[in-house]
Amino acid sequence: MSFKEGNIISFKILVNSDGHVVTEMSGIPEKDLHRVFKDDELSIIRNIVQLTKPKLEEMHEFLESELSALNHVVD
């Protein structure tokens, strides 16, 4: 295995240039994991993504909704 850093899946809470707090999800699309990982690594990474992505999406949606209300106070 070559030890290079890459974003498999991530979640961020950011402040944009307008002063609004926003969330961001990013990472390798699941359909493209096979381009980076092979064999056992692919299976492990795919399992990690399948376990974490729904949880992060749920948190992302919840925070976006809550932050939307907060951001209107900033405007």
Side-chain angles (χ1 to χ4, degrees), residues 15-50:
V15 177
N16 70 16
S17 60
D18 296 326
H20 293 155
V21 180
V22 297
T23 62
E24 173 185 286
M25 281 189 60
S26 61
I28 302 171
E30 196 170 342
K31 66 179 180 58
D32 295 333
L33 288 173
H34 72 280
R35 295 179 183 198
V36 181
F37 301 99
K38 304 291 181 222
D39 305 321
D40 289 342
E41 281 183 346
L42 176 59
S43 179
I44 291 167
I45 297 301
R46 185 169 278 139
N47 284 333
I48 291 169
V49 170
Q50 289 173 347

Side-chain angles (χ1 to χ4, degrees), residues 1-14:
M1 179 174 149
S2 175
F3 289 97
K4 295 182 181 177
E5 187 173 308
N7 180 16
I8 297 168
I9 189 166
S10 66
F11 179 84
K12 294 180 185 180
I13 300 173
L14 308 162

